[in-house]
């Protein structure tokens, strides 16, 4: 355990608020010691954390660079201008907005820019891998919009583009959303563009999960095809927690207005600066190598879990995550998640397509490799991780066996230190 990582100001926090300081240290220890396999998490660089924990947090900057509602924005303006330019260059986008506080906020803005309450939107069904903001009945999207859904075919668990087209022709959506939280395969954005054109719909891609792979040029980009692309910045992209939107120039004003004043006040300028830092990191060739390695590791982990008697949904993965049907182990997702947690392995239970269990129980787990790849793990480590997961699921009821697995997990992560020093 070390407190050095937090720098000199941490001494002040320890003196002033030891309770919270202790939580910061134990969370750092948790991140360092356990295996972090949640597909939507990563370890940012210290440079990103430095920008995030900076005095830019103190500044109100409602509006956009050069058009703020507050004085004293000269410095934060520079950070936002740099960040927007980096985003446009990295993704070849005509417009970028770095102000969304989160992915969900970015999605609220997309709905607001392109639809009115009651309008029909077509999005990936939640049980097949969609997101809350893609029309869940307990979310604003499902309450305020008529969201119809498409899914995957039962036979191969791949998106059924034929069904998508037929549904689009029937429901005539204002907007079609592609992108998901638990779909391991590539999405055919050219095909989605054709479907959007055929029915006159806006093409919206929620790229939160895979935009980092696009940034690293490891998978094809939706940007040339889509009207609008929303995403989070903290997943494979390895930036601060937050959101971002890219769009065609024709939609720039609508997007910017939807964010401010449409649904946000002052942007979190420390987060905007941290996004700019992350975007610069993504331009490095080392980041491109990282993005490719994330996919290689995910493929290796999926196949390691298959060797342990589990089934990779759709037969594998093309991305950073694998969705694993664990019914072959005799366990459900809830039990597997709990047992892995007790064994020092952080992952999440996840519904699989056509899941007979409720989402709270689920028949699957979702594993992702963004964090372990940032740590420096490679394909050689994936069979070890697959074996640890399998043993945790099988034997995790027994505290002695859990402790043994935990000590092996800690021995593995110790070889790949996170935030060393
Ligand atoms: N909660 C995120 C995930 O884990 O996939 C999606 O926003």
């Amino acid at each position: 355990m070390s407190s050095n990582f937090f720098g000199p100001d941490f001494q002040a926090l320890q003196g002033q608020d030891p309770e919270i300081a202790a939580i910061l240290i134990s969370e750092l220890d948790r991140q360092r010691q356990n295996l972090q396999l949640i597909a939507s998490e990563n370890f940012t660089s210290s440079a990103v954390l430095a920008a995030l924990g900076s005095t830019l947090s103190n500044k109100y900057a409602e509006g956009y660079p050069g058009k703020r509602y507050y004085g004293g924005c000269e410095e934060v303006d520079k950070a936002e201008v740099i960040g927007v330019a980096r985003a446009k260059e990295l993704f070849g986008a005509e417009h970028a907005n770095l102000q969304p506080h989160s992915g969900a906020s970015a999605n609220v803005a997309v709905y607001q820019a392109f639809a009115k309450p009651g309008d029909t939107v077509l999005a990936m069904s939640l049980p097949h891998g969609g997101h809350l903001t893609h029309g869940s009945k307990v979310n604003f999207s499902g309450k305020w919009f008529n969201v119809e859904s498409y899914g995957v075919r039962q036979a191969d668990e791949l998106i059924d583009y034929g069904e998508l087209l037929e549904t689009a022709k029937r429901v005539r959506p204002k907007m079609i959303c592609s992108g998901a939280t638990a779909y391991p395969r590539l999405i055919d954005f050219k095909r989605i563009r054709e479907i959007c054109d055929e029915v006159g719909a806006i093409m919206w891609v929620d790229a939160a999960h895979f935009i980092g792979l696009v940034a690293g040029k490891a998978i094809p980009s939706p940007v040339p095809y889509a009207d609008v692309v929303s995403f989070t910045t903290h997943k494979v992209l390895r930036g601060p927690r937050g959101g971002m939107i890219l769009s065609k120039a024709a939609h720039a004003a609508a997007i910017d207005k939807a964010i401010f004043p449409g649904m946000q006040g002052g942007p979190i300028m420390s987060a905007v600066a941290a996004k700019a830092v992350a975007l610069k990191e993504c331009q490095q060739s080392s980041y491109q190598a990282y993005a490719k390695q994330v996919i290689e590791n995910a493929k290796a982990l999926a196949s390691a879990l298959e060797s342990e008697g589990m089934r990779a949904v759709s037969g594998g993965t093309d991305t950073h995550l694998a969705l694993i049907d664990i019914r072959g182990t005799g366990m459900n997702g809830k039990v597997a998640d709990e047992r892995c947690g007790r064994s020092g392995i952080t992952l999440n239970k996840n519904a699989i397509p056509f899941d007979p269990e409720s989402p709270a129980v689920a028949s699957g787990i979702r594993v992702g490799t963004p964090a372990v790849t940032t740590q420096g793990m490679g394909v050689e480590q994936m069979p070890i991780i697959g074996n640890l997961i399998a043993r945790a699921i099988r034997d995790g009821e027994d505290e002695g066996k859990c402790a043994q697995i935990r000590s092996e997990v800690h021995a593995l992560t110790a070889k790949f230190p996170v935030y060393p020093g």
Side-chain angles (χ1 to χ4, degrees), residues 34-52:
N34 293 349
L35 269 171
Q36 309 299 338
L37 295 172
I38 294 200
S40 48
E41 292 182 355
N42 210 335
F43 302 117
T44 62
S45 68
S46 300
V48 167
L49 288 183
L52 200 55

Side-chain angles (χ1 to χ4, degrees), residues 325-344:
D325 175 352
I326 60 160
R327 287 175 295 182
T329 65
M331 300 297 152
N332 61 45
K334 182 168 184 287
V335 170
D337 183 339
E338 284 162 6
R339 290 184 176 187
C340 287
R342 282 202 295 276
S343 307

Side-chain angles (χ1 to χ4, degrees), residues 39-307:
S40 48
E41 292 182 355
N42 210 335
F43 302 117
T44 62
S45 68
S46 300
V48 167
L49 288 183
L52 200 55
S54 69
T55 54
L56 270 62
S57 172
N58 298 337
K59 190 68 199 96
Y60 248 120
E62 284 181 3
Y64 290 97
K67 292 168 284 181
R68 305 284 190 187
Y69 287 78
Y70 290 85
C73 289
E74 312 77 53
E75 300 306 321
V76 292
D77 270 9
K78 288 182 209 162
E80 187 164 349
V81 167
I82 289 170
V84 167
R86 286 180 185 167
K88 286 165 69 175
E89 190 188 338
L90 180 67
F91 295 109
E94 293 175 8
H95 178 66
N97 188 311
L98 271 57
Q99 293 193 4
H101 298 333
S102 68
S105 301
N107 290 354
V108 174
V110 171
Y111 280 95
Q112 195 181 170
F114 296 108
K116 292 195 185 55
D119 278 350
T120 297
V121 173
L122 180 55
M124 182 111 172
S125 108
L126 206 57
H128 288 202
H131 184 249
L132 271 180
T133 55
H134 301 171
S136 161
K137 290 292 171 210
V138 293
N139 182 261
F140 80 91
S141 53
K143 289 181 179 173
W144 299 344
F145 298 89
N146 173 40
V147 185
E148 303 277 350
S149 59
Y150 62 89
V152 299
R153 267 186 304 261
Q154 193 149 14
D156 56 9
E157 297 164 316
L158 299 177
I159 292 173
D160 187 339
Y161 295 96
E163 184 221 342
L164 204 172
L165 173 60
E166 288 317 308
T167 309
K169 282 184 181 162
R170 179 169 51 79
V171 305
R172 310 302 299 186
K174 208 54 175 278
M175 186 158 67
I176 297 178
C177 174
S178 47
T181 64
Y183 185 67
R185 296 301 188 171
L186 298 180
I187 297 171
D188 186 344
F189 297 115
K190 182 167 177 288
R191 187 84 195 273
I192 302 255
R193 177 78 257 174
E194 287 162 3
I195 296 171
C196 287
D197 288 344
E198 190 157 345
V199 300
I202 289 286
M203 178 175 168
W204 164 30
V205 178
D206 181 342
H209 259 270
F210 55 83
I211 194 72
L213 301 176
V214 174
K217 304 193 189 319
I219 64 169
S221 172
V223 173
Y225 300 104
D227 291 288
V228 61
V229 179
S230 62
F231 52 92
T232 47
T233 48
H234 48 265
K235 297 187 171 89
V236 187
L237 195 71
R238 218 159 50 179
R241 187 156 291 278
M244 204 183 289
I245 301 178
L246 307 173
S247 75
K248 297 284 186 242
H251 305 306
I255 289 294
D256 287 354
K257 267 196 246 165
I259 290 288
F260 174 83
M263 46 79 62
Q264 280 186 188
I268 302 170
M269 292 312 298
S270 48
V272 170
K275 288 170 196 174
V277 173
L279 290 166
K280 184 170 183 183
E281 291 176 357
C282 289
Q283 286 164 341
Q284 314 302 316
S285 56
S286 55
Y287 182 82
Q288 294 176 14
Y290 161 74
K292 290 182 181 66
Q293 190 63 51
V294 166
I295 299 175
E296 290 311 309
N297 284 353
K299 286 178 192 284
L301 183 54
S303 97
L305 290 166
E306 290 210 302
S307 318

